Amino acid sequence: DRFEYLQALVTEFQDTDSIEAKTQVLANLANFSYDPSNYEALRKLQVIDLFLDMLTEDNESLVEFGIGGLCNLSLDKTNKEYILQNDGVKLVIGCLSSPNEETVLSAITTLMYLMTPASREEITDTPVVECMLRFSLSTNRRLSNLASVFLQDYCTVEKVQRAQSLQGHSAVGIPLPQD
């Protein structure tokens, strides 16, 4: 039974002290988050909360799989609402400063998936737009292309111009991921 298998994974994650085992289980849960037929079970098992909790971990692998899982779940309307109601945007924005390329790419994608009329202001706040402008100049094509899509499709011209006018005048503190 699918639910019991997912429940066993969550229990294993909670019971183990091994970072390697936690990372492997979290990677498995993130993979199961691709399939909409798992959404209800994942919600019942509070896996969204687990993924949100991982975004503030010191271990980059746990953060990577946490944001990857959220990214996979966030297109679903119910999951999106839950993530938005539980400070998800702020936590996802925090992942933009990760040195891990996959984490940053998943964070940008998740922000795009979480865009609603109600969340737009927070997601396109000036520091985020400044960050996307910097990412759009990266030599990393995946990062520059995704940031460019974010700027073109989710930000108003005024927001981009305002962020451009502030660049160099404010310390955003979000470094580019290492290539």
Side-chain angles (χ1 to χ4, degrees):
D1 178 52
R2 187 186 306 251
F3 182 83
E4 289 170 0
Y5 180 73
L6 292 169
Q7 188 170 38
L9 283 174
V10 171
T11 301
E12 183 181 347
F13 182 88
Q14 293 167 335
D15 290 350
T16 187
D17 292 327
S18 162
I19 291 295
E20 284 179 35
K22 279 188 182 295
T23 302
Q24 185 62 50
V25 170
L26 200 61
N28 286 331
L29 287 170
N31 283 334
F32 280 107
S33 299
Y34 274 113
D35 186 348
S37 63
N38 293 324
Y39 289 173
E40 189 174 336
L42 292 168
R43 283 193 291 266
K44 277 185 186 166
L45 294 167
Q46 300 177 317
V47 172
I48 298 173
D49 291 312
L50 179 67
F51 288 151
L52 288 168
D53 289 345
M54 292 303 104
L55 302 188
T56 56
E57 285 292 318
D58 292 331
N59 182 298
E60 282 297 328
S61 293
L62 293 177
V63 176
E64 176 184 345
F65 293 120
I67 189 66
L70 275 182
C71 187
N72 293 339
L73 290 170
S74 60
L75 269 178
D76 175 77
K77 188 176 193 256
T78 304
N79 295 338
K80 178 190 301 199
E81 287 174 12
Y82 187 86
I83 294 164
L84 291 171
Q85 290 168 0
N86 286 278
D87 239 0
V89 171
K90 186 174 87 176
L91 292 167
V92 172
I93 288 171
C95 292
L96 295 174
S97 62
S98 172
N100 180 319
E101 175 186 345
E102 295 304 320
T103 297
V104 174
L105 293 170
S106 290
I108 296 170
T109 305
T110 303
L111 289 173
M112 291 191 288
Y113 290 165
L114 291 175
M115 191 73 71
T116 66
S119 66
R120 179 174 298 278
E121 200 58 39
E122 184 179 12
I123 291 173
T124 62
D125 196 23
T126 302
V128 176
V129 178
E130 285 181 277
C131 178
M132 294 302 164
L133 284 167
R134 287 210 332 281
F135 287 163
S136 73
L137 301 174
S138 172
T139 57
N140 179 322
R141 298 307 303 154
R142 291 171 68 206
L143 182 60
S144 65
N145 288 343
L146 194 57
S148 295
V149 167
F150 182 94
L151 291 166
Q152 290 167 10
D153 292 358
Y154 297 92
C155 300
T156 63
V157 171
E158 296 77 24
K159 283 226 179 218
V160 173
Q161 288 173 341
R162 179 160 189 264
Q164 285 171 326
S165 73
L166 293 171
Q167 282 204 311
H169 300 291
S170 68
V172 179
I174 301 178
L176 288 170
Q178 294 148 0
D179 288 333

